[in-house]
PDB file of all heavy atoms in Angstrom:
ATOM      1  N   PRO A 903     122.739  87.149  42.764  1.00  0.00           N
ATOM      2  CA  PRO A 903     121.746  86.509  43.758  1.00  0.00           C
ATOM      3  C   PRO A 903     120.947  87.614  44.459  1.00  0.00           C
ATOM      4  O   PRO A 903     119.790  87.386  44.677  1.00  0.00           O
ATOM      5  CB  PRO A 903     122.715  85.814  44.734  1.00  0.00           C
ATOM      6  CG  PRO A 903     123.921  85.534  44.007  1.00  0.00           C
ATOM      7  CD  PRO A 903     124.115  86.701  43.042  1.00  0.00           C
ATOM      8  N   SER A 904     121.579  88.683  44.729  1.00  0.00           N
ATOM      9  CA  SER A 904     120.795  89.661  45.512  1.00  0.00           C
ATOM     10  C   SER A 904     119.693  90.315  44.704  1.00  0.00           C
ATOM     11  O   SER A 904     118.729  90.724  45.226  1.00  0.00           O
ATOM     12  CB  SER A 904     121.735  90.804  45.979  1.00  0.00           C
ATOM     13  OG  SER A 904     122.352  91.430  44.885  1.00  0.00           O
ATOM     14  N   ALA A 905     119.903  90.298  43.446  1.00  0.00           N
ATOM     15  CA  ALA A 905     118.856  90.866  42.601  1.00  0.00           C
ATOM     16  C   ALA A 905     117.642  89.929  42.439  1.00  0.00           C
ATOM     17  O   ALA A 905     116.536  90.387  42.294  1.00  0.00           O
ATOM     18  CB  ALA A 905     119.471  91.150  41.248  1.00  0.00           C
ATOM     19  N   SER A 906     117.911  88.616  42.470  1.00  0.00           N
ATOM     20  CA  SER A 906     116.791  87.625  42.250  1.00  0.00           C
ATOM     21  C   SER A 906     116.067  87.146  43.464  1.00  0.00           C
ATOM     22  O   SER A 906     115.064  86.585  43.486  1.00  0.00           O
ATOM     23  CB  SER A 906     117.264  86.459  41.442  1.00  0.00           C
ATOM     24  OG  SER A 906     118.305  85.773  42.192  1.00  0.00           O
ATOM     25  N   ALA A 907     116.709  87.342  44.732  1.00  0.00           N
ATOM     26  CA  ALA A 907     116.193  86.907  45.999  1.00  0.00           C
ATOM     27  C   ALA A 907     114.896  87.692  46.385  1.00  0.00           C
ATOM     28  O   ALA A 907     114.686  88.794  45.981  1.00  0.00           O
ATOM     29  CB  ALA A 907     117.223  87.009  47.142  1.00  0.00           C
ATOM     30  N   THR A 908     114.157  86.947  47.345  1.00  0.00           N
ATOM     31  CA  THR A 908     112.882  87.645  47.800  1.00  0.00           C
ATOM     32  C   THR A 908     113.332  88.876  48.632  1.00  0.00           C
ATOM     33  O   THR A 908     114.294  88.841  49.392  1.00  0.00           O
ATOM     34  CB  THR A 908     112.167  86.694  48.759  1.00  0.00           C
ATOM     35  OG1 THR A 908     111.810  85.485  48.073  1.00  0.00           O
ATOM     36  CG2 THR A 908     110.811  87.368  49.263  1.00  0.00           C
ATOM     37  N   PRO A 909     112.606  89.947  48.444  1.00  0.00           N
ATOM     38  CA  PRO A 909     112.904  91.169  49.171  1.00  0.00           C
ATOM     39  C   PRO A 909     112.912  90.877  50.670  1.00  0.00           C
ATOM     40  O   PRO A 909     112.110  90.065  51.171  1.00  0.00           O
ATOM     41  CB  PRO A 909     111.850  92.177  48.745  1.00  0.00           C
ATOM     42  CG  PRO A 909     111.312  91.629  47.466  1.00  0.00           C
ATOM     43  CD  PRO A 909     111.477  90.159  47.508  1.00  0.00           C
ATOM     44  N   PRO A 910     113.812  91.546  51.420  1.00  0.00           N
ATOM     45  CA  PRO A 910     113.901  91.281  52.865  1.00  0.00           C
ATOM     46  C   PRO A 910     112.584  91.624  53.587  1.00  0.00           C
ATOM     47  O   PRO A 910     111.884  92.545  53.170  1.00  0.00           O
ATOM     48  CB  PRO A 910     115.077  92.119  53.321  1.00  0.00           C
ATOM     49  CG  PRO A 910     115.138  93.197  52.323  1.00  0.00           C
ATOM     50  CD  PRO A 910     114.797  92.546  50.998  1.00  0.00           C
ATOM     51  N   HIS A 911     112.227  90.924  54.776  1.00  0.00           N
ATOM     52  CA  HIS A 911     111.101  91.245  55.542  1.00  0.00           C
ATOM     53  C   HIS A 911     111.244  92.632  56.125  1.00  0.00           C
ATOM     54  O   HIS A 911     112.333  93.053  56.544  1.00  0.00           O
ATOM     55  CB  HIS A 911     110.881  90.163  56.654  1.00  0.00           C
ATOM     56  CG  HIS A 911     110.493  88.850  56.188  1.00  0.00           C
ATOM     57  ND1 HIS A 911     109.348  88.556  55.502  1.00  0.00           N
ATOM     58  CD2 HIS A 911     111.206  87.685  56.188  1.00  0.00           C
ATOM     59  CE1 HIS A 911     109.302  87.314  55.232  1.00  0.00           C
ATOM     60  NE2 HIS A 911     110.417  86.747  55.617  1.00  0.00           N
ATOM     61  N   PRO A 912     110.173  93.264  56.207  1.00  0.00           N
ATOM     62  CA  PRO A 912     110.253  94.652  56.865  1.00  0.00           C
ATOM     63  C   PRO A 912     110.587  94.540  58.331  1.00  0.00           C
ATOM     64  O   PRO A 912     110.288  93.501  58.963  1.00  0.00           O
ATOM     65  CB  PRO A 912     108.866  95.194  56.663  1.00  0.00           C
ATOM     66  CG  PRO A 912     107.949  94.052  56.448  1.00  0.00           C
ATOM     67  CD  PRO A 912     108.779  93.010  55.827  1.00  0.00           C
ATOM     68  N   ALA A 913     111.182  95.487  58.848  1.00  0.00           N
ATOM     69  CA  ALA A 913     111.568  95.525  60.278  1.00  0.00           C
ATOM     70  C   ALA A 913     110.264  95.363  61.117  1.00  0.00           C
ATOM     71  O   ALA A 913     109.156  95.875  60.750  1.00  0.00           O
ATOM     72  CB  ALA A 913     112.212  96.820  60.681  1.00  0.00           C
ATOM     73  N   PHE A 914     110.428  94.592  62.331  1.00  0.00           N
ATOM     74  CA  PHE A 914     109.325  94.329  63.163  1.00  0.00           C
ATOM     75  C   PHE A 914     108.500  95.632  63.601  1.00  0.00           C
ATOM     76  O   PHE A 914     107.304  95.611  63.567  1.00  0.00           O
ATOM     77  CB  PHE A 914     109.732  93.618  64.445  1.00  0.00           C
ATOM     78  CG  PHE A 914     108.602  93.272  65.371  1.00  0.00           C
ATOM     79  CD1 PHE A 914     107.694  92.326  65.044  1.00  0.00           C
ATOM     80  CD2 PHE A 914     108.486  93.911  66.584  1.00  0.00           C
ATOM     81  CE1 PHE A 914     106.669  92.055  65.947  1.00  0.00           C
ATOM     82  CE2 PHE A 914     107.499  93.666  67.443  1.00  0.00           C
ATOM     83  CZ  PHE A 914     106.552  92.683  67.142  1.00  0.00           C
ATOM     84  N   ASP A 915     109.338  96.648  63.904  1.00  0.00           N
ATOM     85  CA  ASP A 915     108.715  97.870  64.436  1.00  0.00           C
ATOM     86  C   ASP A 915     107.888  98.602  63.334  1.00  0.00           C
ATOM     87  O   ASP A 915     107.100  99.473  63.622  1.00  0.00           O
ATOM     88  CB  ASP A 915     109.708  98.799  65.141  1.00  0.00           C
ATOM     89  CG  ASP A 915     110.858  99.185  64.185  1.00  0.00           C
ATOM     90  OD1 ASP A 915     110.782  98.782  63.057  1.00  0.00           O
ATOM     91  OD2 ASP A 915     111.798  99.878  64.650  1.00  0.00           O
ATOM     92  N   THR A 916     108.158  98.336  61.989  1.00  0.00           N
ATOM     93  CA  THR A 916     107.348  98.949  61.035  1.00  0.00           C
ATOM     94  C   THR A 916     105.982  98.370  60.844  1.00  0.00           C
ATOM     95  O   THR A 916     105.108  98.885  60.148  1.00  0.00           O
ATOM     96  CB  THR A 916     108.073  98.844  59.620  1.00  0.00           C
ATOM     97  OG1 THR A 916     108.229  97.499  59.236  1.00  0.00           O
ATOM     98  CG2 THR A 916     109.465  99.504  59.765  1.00  0.00           C
ATOM     99  N   LEU A 917     105.830  97.129  61.455  1.00  0.00           N
ATOM    100  CA  LEU A 917     104.512  96.528  61.342  1.00  0.00           C
ATOM    101  C   LEU A 917     103.510  97.072  62.427  1.00  0.00           C
ATOM    102  O   LEU A 917     102.330  96.733  62.329  1.00  0.00           O
ATOM    103  CB  LEU A 917     104.658  94.979  61.569  1.00  0.00           C
ATOM    104  CG  LEU A 917     105.492  94.214  60.540  1.00  0.00           C
ATOM    105  CD1 LEU A 917     105.595  92.765  60.870  1.00  0.00           C
ATOM    106  CD2 LEU A 917     104.902  94.335  59.124  1.00  0.00           C
ATOM    107  N   LEU A 918     104.017  97.719  63.389  1.00  0.00           N
ATOM    108  CA  LEU A 918     103.283  98.209  64.483  1.00  0.00           C
ATOM    109  C   LEU A 918     103.165  99.706  64.435  1.00  0.00           C
ATOM    110  O   LEU A 918     104.124 100.408  63.979  1.00  0.00           O
ATOM    111  CB  LEU A 918     103.874  97.717  65.834  1.00  0.00           C
ATOM    112  CG  LEU A 918     104.053  96.264  65.969  1.00  0.00           C
ATOM    113  CD1 LEU A 918     104.723  95.957  67.273  1.00  0.00           C
ATOM    114  CD2 LEU A 918     102.698  95.509  65.972  1.00  0.00           C
ATOM    115  N   SER A 919     102.160 100.215  65.039  1.00  0.00           N
ATOM    116  CA  SER A 919     102.021 101.644  65.187  1.00  0.00           C
ATOM    117  C   SER A 919     102.987 102.077  66.296  1.00  0.00           C
ATOM    118  O   SER A 919     103.367 101.270  67.156  1.00  0.00           O
ATOM    119  CB  SER A 919     100.582 102.036  65.598  1.00  0.00           C
ATOM    120  OG  SER A 919     100.227 101.561  66.831  1.00  0.00           O
ATOM    121  N   PRO A 920     103.304 103.315  66.436  1.00  0.00           N
ATOM    122  CA  PRO A 920     104.189 103.812  67.537  1.00  0.00           C
ATOM    123  C   PRO A 920     103.593 103.500  68.908  1.00  0.00           C
ATOM    124  O   PRO A 920     104.282 103.123  69.804  1.00  0.00           O
ATOM    125  CB  PRO A 920     104.203 105.284  67.365  1.00  0.00           C
ATOM    126  CG  PRO A 920     103.973 105.484  65.886  1.00  0.00           C
ATOM    127  CD  PRO A 920     103.033 104.398  65.457  1.00  0.00           C
ATOM    128  N   GLU A 921     102.270 103.507  69.034  1.00  0.00           N
ATOM    129  CA  GLU A 921     101.676 103.212  70.297  1.00  0.00           C
ATOM    130  C   GLU A 921     101.917 101.704  70.647  1.00  0.00           C
ATOM    131  O   GLU A 921     102.143 101.298  71.814  1.00  0.00           O
ATOM    132  CB  GLU A 921     100.200 103.454  70.346  1.00  0.00           C
ATOM    133  CG  GLU A 921      99.858 104.980  70.286  1.00  0.00           C
ATOM    134  CD  GLU A 921      99.971 105.546  68.842  1.00  0.00           C
ATOM    135  OE1 GLU A 921     100.191 104.743  67.905  1.00  0.00           O
ATOM    136  OE2 GLU A 921      99.898 106.804  68.732  1.00  0.00           O
ATOM    137  N   GLN A 922     101.732 100.829  69.601  1.00  0.00           N
ATOM    138  CA  GLN A 922     101.937  99.352  69.750  1.00  0.00           C
ATOM    139  C   GLN A 922     103.373  99.044  70.126  1.00  0.00           C
ATOM    140  O   GLN A 922     103.680  98.213  70.912  1.00  0.00           O
ATOM    141  CB  GLN A 922     101.445  98.649  68.589  1.00  0.00           C
ATOM    142  CG  GLN A 922      99.923  98.650  68.402  1.00  0.00           C
ATOM    143  CD  GLN A 922      99.523  98.053  67.042  1.00  0.00           C
ATOM    144  OE1 GLN A 922     100.162  98.205  66.093  1.00  0.00           O
ATOM    145  NE2 GLN A 922      98.301  97.392  67.074  1.00  0.00           N
ATOM    146  N   VAL A 923     104.295  99.744  69.444  1.00  0.00           N
ATOM    147  CA  VAL A 923     105.754  99.513  69.759  1.00  0.00           C
ATOM    148  C   VAL A 923     105.984  99.832  71.195  1.00  0.00           C
ATOM    149  O   VAL A 923     106.723  99.085  71.923  1.00  0.00           O
ATOM    150  CB  VAL A 923     106.560 100.384  68.826  1.00  0.00           C
ATOM    151  CG1 VAL A 923     108.060 100.274  69.269  1.00  0.00           C
ATOM    152  CG2 VAL A 923     106.453  99.905  67.422  1.00  0.00           C
ATOM    153  N   LYS A 924     105.386 100.943  71.695  1.00  0.00           N
ATOM    154  CA  LYS A 924     105.619 101.310  73.076  1.00  0.00           C
ATOM    155  C   LYS A 924     105.107 100.270  74.042  1.00  0.00           C
ATOM    156  O   LYS A 924     105.663  99.983  75.075  1.00  0.00           O
ATOM    157  CB  LYS A 924     104.963 102.693  73.379  1.00  0.00           C
ATOM    158  CG  LYS A 924     105.227 103.253  74.751  1.00  0.00           C
ATOM    159  CD  LYS A 924     104.685 104.614  74.892  1.00  0.00           C
ATOM    160  CE  LYS A 924     104.920 105.175  76.263  1.00  0.00           C
ATOM    161  NZ  LYS A 924     106.334 105.176  76.651  1.00  0.00           N
ATOM    162  N   LEU A 925     103.866  99.729  73.682  1.00  0.00           N
ATOM    163  CA  LEU A 925     103.305  98.708  74.502  1.00  0.00           C
ATOM    164  C   LEU A 925     104.187  97.507  74.609  1.00  0.00           C
ATOM    165  O   LEU A 925     104.435  96.881  75.676  1.00  0.00           O
ATOM    166  CB  LEU A 925     101.884  98.304  73.957  1.00  0.00           C
ATOM    167  CG  LEU A 925     100.809  99.283  74.094  1.00  0.00           C
ATOM    168  CD1 LEU A 925      99.529  98.762  73.454  1.00  0.00           C
ATOM    169  CD2 LEU A 925     100.529  99.661  75.575  1.00  0.00           C
ATOM    170  N   VAL A 926     104.786  96.996  73.509  1.00  0.00           N
ATOM    171  CA  VAL A 926     105.637  95.888  73.431  1.00  0.00           C
ATOM    172  C   VAL A 926     106.880  96.136  74.297  1.00  0.00           C
ATOM    173  O   VAL A 926     107.405  95.349  75.038  1.00  0.00           O
ATOM    174  CB  VAL A 926     106.030  95.518  71.992  1.00  0.00           C
ATOM    175  CG1 VAL A 926     107.082  94.453  72.010  1.00  0.00           C
ATOM    176  CG2 VAL A 926     104.743  94.982  71.223  1.00  0.00           C
ATOM    177  N   GLU A 927     107.455  97.371  74.147  1.00  0.00           N
ATOM    178  CA  GLU A 927     108.658  97.661  74.912  1.00  0.00           C
ATOM    179  C   GLU A 927     108.382  97.690  76.426  1.00  0.00           C
ATOM    180  O   GLU A 927     109.154  97.157  77.185  1.00  0.00           O
ATOM    181  CB  GLU A 927     109.166  99.067  74.459  1.00  0.00           C
ATOM    182  CG  GLU A 927     109.759  99.108  73.020  1.00  0.00           C
ATOM    183  CD  GLU A 927     110.104 100.483  72.561  1.00  0.00           C
ATOM    184  OE1 GLU A 927     109.676 101.425  73.205  1.00  0.00           O
ATOM    185  OE2 GLU A 927     110.828 100.608  71.538  1.00  0.00           O
TER     186      GLU A 927
END
């Protein structure tokens, strides 16, 4: 099953730039 499932979503903080992560924090 792990081989055929959709790849996991990327971590939230990888979607944002370091500056944006700091703003959210």
Side-chain angles (χ1 to χ4, degrees):
S904 63
S906 60
T908 304
H911 292 292
F914 178 73
D915 56 4
T916 64
L917 297 176
L918 304 175
S919 68
E921 293 79 8
Q922 291 172 324
V923 171
K924 184 174 179 59
L925 290 177
V926 172
E927 291 174 347

